[in-house]
Amino acid sequence: MEELCGLGAAAPLRADAEEPKQGSVLFLGGSEVKSSAVVKYSSAPPQAAFARLQEKTDLKLPPANWLRESAKLGPAGTTILGNNKKSKPFSSFGMAYDFIDSVGNDVDVVSDSENIKKLLKIPYSKSHVSMAVHRIGRTLLLDELDIQELFMRSSQTGDWTWLKEFYQRLIDQKWQRKKKSKEHWYQKAILSKFLYYSINGDGAAQPVPSTSKQHQDGPVSGEGDEAGRASWPAPFEMPSSLSEDAGASNQGLKNDFVRNILWTFEDIHMLVGSNMPIFGGGRYPAVSLRLRDNNKPINVLTGIDYWLDNLICNVPELVMCFHVNGIVQKYEMIKTEDIPNLENSNFSTKVIKDIAQNILSFLKSNCTKEGHTYWLFKASGSDIVKLYDLTTLCEETEDKYQNPFTMPVAILLYKVACNMMLKKNQNKKHYGTIRTLLLNCLKLLDNGRHPQIIASANYMLSELFQLDEPKKEDSTDFPMNGNSDESYSEEEEEMPDSDENGSFSNSSDPPDDNKAVAIIKSVGELSVPEKYKSVHRIRPSCAFPVCHGTEERCRLVLNYVLEGLKSVDSSVKKEGDLPAADPSTPIPLKYEDESTSGGPECLEKQMALFLDKMGSFQKGKHSSQSGMIPGSWQYKMKLQLILKSSKAYYVLSDAAMILQKYGRALRYIKLALQCHDTYCCLCASMLPEVLVFLCQCLTLCGDIQLMLAQNASNRAAYLEEYNYQTKEDQEILHSLHRESRCQVFAWATDLSTDLECQLSVSCKCYEAAYEILLFSNLKNQNPEQHIQVLKRMGNIRNEIGVFYMNQAAAVQTERVVSKNVSTTEQQLWKKSFSCFEEGIQNFESIDDATNAALLLCNTGRLMRICAQAHCATEGDFKREFSPEEALYYNKAIDYYLKALRSLGRRDVHPAVWDSVNWELSTTYFTMATLQQDYAPLSRKAQEQIEKEVSEAMMKSLKYCDVDTVSARQPLCQYRAATIHHRLASMYHSCLRNQVGDEHLRKQHRILADLHYSKAVRLFQLLKDAPCEFLRVQLERVAFAEFQMASQNSSAGKLKTLFGALDIMVKTKGAFQLIRKELLAEREQISKDQSSAENVSPNDSSAGLNKEEVLKLLSIFESRMSFLLLQSIKLLTSTKKKIGGINEEEVVLKTNKQVYSLLLRATANKSVTLLERIEVILNLLEQLTPDTEASNGGIQ
């Protein structure tokens, strides 16, 4: 079932009519031509069989029911029967409005069947042809342009005088009104009476309703020709509001046809209006009824008329009634396919098909400009057909609104675009077509007269650009041709010498014919097959502008929005308007520094006011300063346009943010929020999606403020970007200021120079976004948005917490004299702690364990800063590890352990896990070191301190991962080695100072030995800690010496001595590393001197502390000297007692030799550090094999 697409004034008529008929498809016309018709809509009653009149019936006498409505015929009876009055000048527009889906796409022609018949008869007929042609997309609309009627009107109103003058100059200099003959009216009257006689049935005659008088024609009504004249609309009758389509009926834009048919003739698709009466009866379900004068044979023109009428209406048979002087003679039945072969009326259906294809090709090739009115004209008796562009001719002479077709065309362009917009998501390839339809519509409209359509068209144009898909390039979606303004113009220019389409006049034509767009030199050409076969394919969609970036796309959108806003503003009543603003004067963008902004406290007040206002929006309070009436089209349209501009500015801001143009990003988000502010002022109730969008704007604003805070070094450049304004932006702001002050979001969008203020503003933006999600219950519908806002809140609170923590650390370093913690520091700690705590809650609420762990880690760091602030500064001799320090270090440890618990296991986030472990290890290590170095002996016993230090050191070791390969591994190894070294030193010290408990002493000795060996192993792995390695080895030597002192037997002492010497020999690697660094340093100095660079000799390599090396070297030499001397003494005494042992003699000899060399070397004070190290390495080299051998021998 074909659906009715009723629009405008036609709708009520359709509602009363019966259901549209099933679109039966019947192929007629024989094998030469293909024709099918689908009835899209019919208001005719069910077909009644016609009454066959008796012979000798006198048709001059009126029947009883003449010109009266019949129950069987329905309300349109008088129209159906015999009233073949001329079609209205806008009949095709009425149909186009009703079947808007067909226009612009799949239909080639929309017209009255009478116009189509007239066109197809051009080569056979001498009568004149005058038609208006309009292009909408790929569809042509054809309407009769009754020149006589127009010029009669012109004489009365003064309209169209330009066309009258043009017509008289060019075509008919002695134009005068031609009256129709009495014969014409006589024939019309008897046809009307014949059709009324033919109604089968005896329905009681009803009085004719007064409204149907308009249908009476000719002498019957006694009004002569005036009554039959179509009503021409005045040029300016179209109402400004499209919402009330009642105005369409005033324009004659009503679809008055009894049936609308989608007729396909060969490959031409036409939407045709027909009023032909159709009756039932005969062998077929439908016949058409014709009346013929028996004395006049049927000519070709009549035959073509009958044949085309039956094809268009899908009628298979024709019933012809013959009469002589109005007296019925006989009836004859003729099949539709036999009509072309009737006697005296032979014509070729193939030729008709060629004519149709040629005319369509000629019109499509030349009527290329959408919105223009073309005039197809053939003078009576002439063979030349001309096509003029009336729009261009009119614009040369007068106002374009003198053309009464301007408004109907503009509205049809608009409606077709609207219809396509409803389906825009189905197919993006139509975007170019929609855009062209709207641009051409706008060209025809005047802002003063049609602000609503202009505003709406501009809004639709802005809607075509996808702001929510900024990453996609339009070039992938749309064909890349640059012809964006002229839609369906052909892809190739017509060649001037083209005979194919005869579009150019030759020199024999009258001189003024250069006004014609195209000319058919002879109507005979139309019968030649494919004479006008257009080589130009009409593009199904036209070019959409290729935007090469987000900014370009947004700027186009804003341009259309601005045009729309201008239309709305110009139509709002001027009372209560703002003083006229000069668009060339920039609106100052307020710039505040910290001296005026009042810092975070002031922010709190502004924030409270903002949230209060947001609450009032929810309650439905709204006000417009310009006096727009809520619910009016201006009000609705301005809301839509403002929201669109807000989205465009948001996308621009986001794009600038990606490009790191933070000043520009802030300016755009300020404009977006100003648009939003105005929207809020106007809007009675906020839609959820608008509130979600506001959250996105505030979130982006928070991001921008944070980036501005983090990039303070570029502040001057950002300020310049922020203060720049385009003329377009200024004009949009002027339009916004008509409705509100646009200051609600000022707190969020000002560019501050104060870091703390910027961070606070950023935080407030996120908080505002969160509040909106909370009080508008959008949290659950937009979980992603909710998570993003909370994540950002956690992040900014971390940033602010770190900011305050760093400030506290800075204050602490400056505090020298005062030993007490200042209140400023305590305030900063509190602020920092509170920010971290809130941030942790934010992250925990969205189960973000990693970020929660990082904030717990930062809180731990804050606790360590507090601990450092509490260390006493009364001089090192009195310094003790205070209970406050212990408290804060333990708090720090708690936070680090919480962070580890939050993560759960390493594979959640290895980097964060390792970082927390490192910080925890450092805290334990620092605490143990402080306790060891500044033992709180006034409060605790030595043993307890040692126990606590030992425990803390072991915990530090537990969290110090020496095995995992990472950038931090050398640090961990160094830390572990240092811990072992410190523990060994501590146990060594205990052993020295302890008296009594032998078991405890033994335990300490074992632990010291264990930790020394572990420290040595770890320091050996590191290539950059030779001094530390040396120190540990020297302490081990001292440890051996201490043990030796308590030994009594010579063998025991010797064993310990050789062990100590072995330790010394193993330091060879460390000395080699030191030598390597000293050589490298010497090379560098000589290189610098050779290149004449002024380098001071003190610039030693950063990796080596020479003082430390000298100190350690002196100790090493003295200990080595001592050990060698002791070994010589012991070896000599044992040799005397027990006689010669070969191995020991060798050792003794070597030791003496080395000792002698060492004494000489140490006696020489002029040697350099490098030379001393060379000596030591040489001596160690000599000791190596002997020590190992002797050691083996002794054991």
Side-chain angles (χ1 to χ4, degrees), residues 138 144 175 179 218 235 262 286 308 387-388 501 570 578 627 636 795 939:
R138 54 164 285 187
E144 183 171 8
W175 174 81
K179 298 223 170 183
L262 199 57
L308 287 173
L387 185 72
Y388 297 97
N501 54 22
S570 68
L578 292 175
K636 290 173 185 170
N795 180 53
R939 298 195 320 277

Side-chain angles (χ1 to χ4, degrees), residues 48 139 207 344 354 578 648 851:
T139 304
N344 298 323
D354 291 334
L578 292 175
N851 280 316

Side-chain angles (χ1 to χ4, degrees), residues 621-870:
K621 296 176 188 172
H622 55 88
S623 61
S624 161
Q625 292 178 6
S626 68
M628 273 197 307
I629 301 157
S632 65
W633 74 261
Q634 288 101 330
Y635 173 82
K636 290 173 185 170
M637 183 51 65
K638 192 153 189 177
L639 276 181
Q640 293 295 326
L641 288 165
I642 288 169
L643 194 59
K644 189 72 185 176
S645 61
S646 186
K647 285 178 179 171
Y649 282 128
Y650 171 82
V651 173
L652 279 170
S653 180
D654 193 44
M657 178 83 171
I658 292 162
L659 294 171
Q660 298 181 349
K661 302 278 186 189
Y662 304 123
R664 189 196 301 174
L666 186 62
R667 169 165 54 90
Y668 283 138
I669 204 69
K670 175 168 188 160
L671 287 162
L673 287 166
Q674 283 176 319
C675 293
H676 215 291
D677 181 7
T678 309
Y679 183 90
C680 297
C681 283
L682 292 174
C683 198
S685 59
M686 299 289 272
L687 295 168
E689 54 266 33
V690 177
L691 282 171
V692 170
F693 174 63
L694 176 56
C695 289
Q696 289 171 341
C697 286
L698 286 165
T699 306
L700 180 59
C701 188
D703 293 350
I704 295 163
Q705 291 283 13
L706 175 57
M707 295 318 293
L708 285 165
Q710 289 178 348
N711 294 274
S713 55
N714 289 344
R715 194 168 276 146
Y718 296 145
L719 184 58
E720 193 179 332
E721 287 172 9
Y722 178 70
N723 286 329
Y724 172 78
Q725 256 192 326
T726 67
K727 187 170 187 294
E728 200 174 56
D729 296 340
Q730 289 167 27
E731 289 182 352
I732 288 173
L733 266 177
H734 278 294
S735 180
L736 299 179
H737 281 154
R738 289 168 62 90
E739 313 303 335
S740 89
R741 288 180 58 246
C742 303
Q743 289 301 308
V744 172
F745 297 100
W747 57 270
T749 54
D750 284 332
L751 179 55
S752 172
T753 55
D754 177 50
L755 187 61
E756 183 182 353
C757 186
Q758 283 176 324
L759 290 170
S760 300
V761 167
S762 178
C763 187
K764 294 295 168 204
C765 287
Y766 299 139
E767 284 172 10
Y770 182 68
E771 288 289 330
I772 290 166
L773 284 175
L774 215 58
F775 71 59
S776 53
N777 297 321
L778 293 168
K779 197 171 75 169
N780 299 329
Q781 293 98 302
N782 299 274
E784 187 57 37
Q785 181 84 7
H786 179 237
I787 288 168
Q788 284 301 318
V789 171
L790 276 169
K791 200 167 261 192
R792 283 170 160 82
M793 277 166 72
N795 180 53
I796 191 66
R797 282 167 172 165
N798 178 49
E799 291 285 341
I800 297 171
V802 169
F803 170 77
Y804 287 136
M805 180 165 72
N806 291 340
Q807 275 198 324
V811 171
Q812 187 182 307
T813 53
E814 287 164 17
R815 171 167 56 85
V816 182
V817 185
S818 164
K819 62 183 178 184
N820 296 325
V821 177
S822 66
T823 49
T824 312
E825 272 179 275
Q826 288 177 329
Q827 287 300 317
L828 289 167
W829 293 342
K830 280 180 189 169
K831 283 182 183 176
S832 179
F833 180 73
S834 133
C835 288
F836 287 141
E837 210 169 31
E838 286 171 349
I840 290 162
Q841 283 169 4
N842 293 147
F843 285 127
E844 283 176 347
S845 69
I846 54 170
D847 299 325
D848 189 342
T850 309
N851 280 316
L854 281 170
L855 264 77
L856 284 162
C857 200
N858 277 340
T859 315
R861 192 172 139 222
L862 176 66
M863 294 301 121
R864 280 158 64 190
I865 287 172
C866 295
Q868 285 161 21
H870 281 93

